[in-house]
Amino acid sequence: MQPSPLSYVLFGVLACYANSLAIQCGLKGVVLQRMRLRGQLLYDIGPLLTGIDSPLIRELKIEVEADRDIGEIIDLTNERCPALYLVNHATKTEVLQTKPGRARR
């Protein structure tokens, strides 16, 4: 199976989450020797092809493996990770075309 653009979305979310989790562990004084994340993005591109109003991303799963019990820190990270916030909240998006060679300020 070839990567799709949504694969890169998943990798970005996982990278942001891993960083946020490491920061929260550090702030709590928790030193991890091992942390591993595995993610799964369940999606259906049907809405893009048919125009039907339904979610593109059905579910985002993140599994955290660590050498210490960090359940409370995971809960905190779920609230503070910028990527998860973006995924869980509607985001106004604007796409503009600019003229070639002109930087937009």
Side-chain angles (χ1 to χ4, degrees):
M1 185 166 130
Q2 298 296 320
S4 75
L6 289 175
S7 299
Y8 296 106
V9 169
L10 176 61
F11 298 149
V13 169
L14 288 175
C16 185
Y17 192 86
N19 184 61
S20 298
L21 183 57
I23 289 170
Q24 294 305 316
C25 284
L27 291 173
K28 296 288 185 185
V30 175
V31 177
L32 296 178
Q33 299 298 318
R34 177 170 161 69
M35 178 176 69
R36 179 179 173 184
L37 273 65
R38 180 176 302 157
Q40 188 176 23
L41 193 64
L42 305 174
Y43 62 91
D44 176 8
I45 64 168
L48 298 177
L49 302 174
T50 62
I52 295 172
D53 186 21
S54 67
L56 172 68
I57 297 175
R58 304 265 186 221
E59 189 174 2
L60 169 64
K61 294 181 181 183
I62 299 175
E63 296 175 11
V64 178
E65 180 184 315
D67 60 333
R68 299 198 46 193
D69 180 7
I70 56 170
E72 289 180 19
I73 298 173
I74 288 173
D75 292 340
L76 186 59
T77 302
N78 291 347
E79 296 172 9
R80 297 189 177 169
C81 173
L84 281 191
Y85 186 89
L86 179 67
V87 168
N88 290 322
H89 294 80
T91 303
K92 180 182 175 190
T93 303
E94 184 177 11
V95 178
L96 302 172
Q97 180 179 357
T98 60
K99 294 183 180 179
R102 295 189 67 188
R104 181 163 186 227
R105 295 180 190 200

